[in-house]
Amino acid sequence: MAKAKSQFVCANCGAVASRWQGRCDACGEWNTLQEEGPALPAATAAGRGVVVSLHALSGKTESPPRLESGIAELDRVTGGGFVPASALLVGGDPGIGKSTLLLQSAAALAACGRRVVYVSGEEAVDQVRLRAERLGVASAPVELAAETHVEDILATLKAGPRVDIVIVDSVQTMWTDLAESAPGTVTQVRLAAQNLIRFAKATGAVVILVGHVTKDGQIAGPRVVEHMVDAVLYFEGDAGHRFRLLRAVKNRFGPAAEIGVFEMTGDGLKEVANPSDLFIGEREAHNPGTAIFAGMEGTRPLLVEVQALVSASGLATPRRAVVGWDPSRLAMLLAVLEARCGLAFGPFDVYLNVAGGLRLAEPAADLAVAAALISSRLGVASPPETIYFGEVSLSGTIRAVPQAAARLKEAEKLGFRKAFLPAAGSDDAKTGLALDKIASLTDMVAAFAARAEAIAG
Ligand code: TYD
Ligand code: MG
């Protein structure tokens, strides 16, 4: 028999190649192909199936109660608690607070009488204990193990009474006898995850896998793990800022794009029930160059301060620096302001910052960014207690954005009195705010210019 050939698997996308290449054909990444053991010959897998029963789409289903952690921000993101017999992946940059979040959740669930096993592949039992002490949860009946061998973990879990929740921190440290390659390789991570997920489905336990994320935001190693689990949550935030966002990017049992907001403190993560306060709390009122954006994160309104600084440049190519927003979107807005509104930015450096370290992805932020830019450029502050939202098109018209009513409601709740919003699509909004509905960006430039004149005269 011919010697079985090894295969090469891309650590980024999981594509399989028959020989080594510098660049993955499937995803285009460089240096991501890793050698793995031979694939199973197709012949051994074929010809052994049994007949399975088929079912109708309708029928009685028993949905078991969800396991609520009692941490409201976490339960919101999972869609009302963990679903028994499901697997979750919690991803995030190293040091962002994944282990802290999960240890706190484990303690909360254990305190409710659930059997919770926390398996750490990265820290020793003593280190986890120290952390638990610091978090003030050391008395919770969580069962700890420092282990990386999947078969041993599963044997331990099966030996004891029924477990409700297993936390595996992290999946990248796990290894199984089923593969010959080293821990951390694609095959190891995939098979380890597969084994743990199978345990969840077979016993009704919730399996939570922790995964590290690469700098470009992918769960490091195989993205296949993302496909295998029922929900993928990202824990994100800026290391220099206190707040952390837990974001559902995939959820088979609840809404995706839902967020939970936490604050990292000296003794662990604290829930932030009113996140808008966090992002506009320290706003510098009446300074030119700031505007409050009424944004949405999932189903949740969130007010954020956008700051711009437009200053005369001595450089041949003026600087454009952006934190928390898409630089190409800034270039587009500047072009629209120049071409459609006659407001030149060519000889100026432009700096843009989203307060608090948040990243804005919504097109609805266009109008707030434009307001901050115009305000700084003309040296006139935005009207007090005013919020902005709306998408700017290349022609300079302001396009409607979803959920206008929810945005206005949040602003009203926080004491705002005026809103600049798209003329289109906001007819039915009932609110106590004074609405300035604008059809085109030139209207807003005119409004700021009129304010500048009123202040000067
Ligand atoms: P950790 O949960 O270990 O991150 P991850 O598991 O995602 O790698 O969090 C580590 C960081 O959190 C570390 O920089 C210290 C900080 N931290 C606090 O600020 N307060 C705390 O109570 C704890 C436990 C950690
Ligand atoms: Mg950790």
Side-chain angles (χ1 to χ4, degrees), residues 270-456:
K270 299 266 181 307
E271 298 178 56
V272 179
N274 196 346
S276 294
D277 274 348
L278 195 67
F279 296 111
I280 59 169
E282 311 145 28
R283 72 177 181 275
E284 308 153 37
H286 313 306
N287 275 348
T290 65
I292 307 287
F293 167 50
M296 294 295 294
E297 287 284 351
T299 58
R300 189 172 202 186
L302 188 63
L303 302 194
V304 199
E305 184 181 88
V306 179
Q307 308 163 342
L309 176 63
V310 180
S311 69
S313 176
L315 302 168
T317 313
R319 291 192 65 152
R320 305 283 184 247
V322 192
V323 178
W325 207 50
D326 180 6
S328 54
R329 209 134 180 118
L330 174 68
M332 187 203 92
L333 258 190
L334 291 174
V336 173
L337 282 166
E338 289 222 29
R340 311 288 178 193
C341 312
L343 205 57
F345 283 90
F348 297 96
D349 289 333
V350 177
Y351 303 90
L352 191 77
N353 179 40
V354 177
L358 197 71
R359 257 206 79 78
L360 296 180
E362 265 192 296
D366 289 356
L367 197 62
V369 173
L373 290 169
I374 298 167
S375 164
S376 179
R377 172 70 175 76
L378 299 180
V380 53
S382 151
E385 311 303 337
T386 302
I387 54 132
Y388 301 82
F389 62 87
E391 182 179 348
V392 175
S393 75
L394 283 179
S395 64
T397 52
I398 312 297
R399 305 181 54 172
V401 296
Q403 291 162 297
R407 297 171 201 265
L408 291 169
K409 201 167 144 207
E410 173 81 356
E412 194 177 352
K413 197 173 89 189
L414 289 165
F416 284 82
R417 286 180 301 176
K418 188 174 156 70
F420 279 93
L421 73 171
S426 48
D427 302 331
D428 52 347
K430 287 185 205 63
T431 171
L433 269 70
L435 299 185
D436 207 330
K437 297 183 181 180
I438 54 175
S440 135
L441 202 52
T442 41
D443 298 349
M444 208 167 68
V445 175
F448 272 90
R451 258 180 78 74
E453 253 170 51
I455 290 165

Side-chain angles (χ1 to χ4, degrees), residues 88-314:
L88 282 91
L89 180 65
V90 176
D93 290 323
I96 206 69
K98 300 180 295 297
S99 305
T100 307
L101 175 72
L102 290 171
L103 193 57
Q104 284 184 260
S105 320
L109 283 154
C112 300
R114 312 283 183 190
R115 179 167 186 229
V116 185
V117 177
Y118 185 101
V119 183
S120 179
E122 291 181 350
E123 289 161 298
V125 169
D126 281 348
Q127 285 174 300
V128 182
R129 278 190 183 147
L130 273 177
R131 188 196 295 260
E133 218 156 275
R134 181 173 169 188
L135 297 172
V137 298
S139 59
V142 176
E143 291 164 70
L144 284 182
E147 185 51 65
T148 54
H149 185 203
V150 174
E151 277 76 11
D152 290 351
I153 294 169
L154 291 177
T156 311
L157 294 175
K158 283 170 188 163
R162 215 188 87 98
V163 277
D164 294 306
I165 290 142
V166 187
I167 296 167
V168 177
D169 186 3
S170 67
V171 68
Q172 274 113 342
T173 57
M174 295 294 137
W175 63 280
T176 153
D177 295 331
L178 295 176
E180 284 166 8
S181 43
T185 54
V186 189
T187 310
Q188 279 290 2
V189 174
R190 184 168 45 197
L191 287 175
Q194 218 164 46
N195 256 337
L196 290 161
I197 293 167
R198 199 177 300 139
F199 172 79
K201 303 289 169 195
T203 64
V206 178
V207 169
I208 304 176
L209 306 171
V210 176
H212 294 295
V213 159
T214 59
K215 60 186 184 311
D216 57 352
Q218 305 279 318
I219 301 257
R223 257 195 279 170
V224 278
V225 176
E226 289 194 38
H227 302 307
M228 287 171 357
V229 294
D230 299 300
V232 179
L233 313 181
Y234 273 100
F235 203 43
E236 54 188 44
D238 191 294
H241 289 91
R242 291 169 299 147
F243 87 91
R244 302 282 181 268
L245 291 186
L246 184 67
R247 191 189 294 277
V249 292
K250 161 183 169 178
N251 193 350
R252 286 189 184 145
F253 308 113
E258 200 57 85
I259 64 160
V261 186
F262 297 88
E263 191 179 345
M264 182 60 99
T265 68
D267 44 2
L269 290 158
K270 299 266 181 307
E271 298 178 56
V272 179
N274 196 346
S276 294
D277 274 348
L278 195 67
F279 296 111
I280 59 169
E282 311 145 28
R283 72 177 181 275
E284 308 153 37
H286 313 306
N287 275 348
T290 65
I292 307 287
F293 167 50
M296 294 295 294
E297 287 284 351
T299 58
R300 189 172 202 186
L302 188 63
L303 302 194
V304 199
E305 184 181 88
V306 179
Q307 308 163 342
L309 176 63
V310 180
S311 69
S313 176

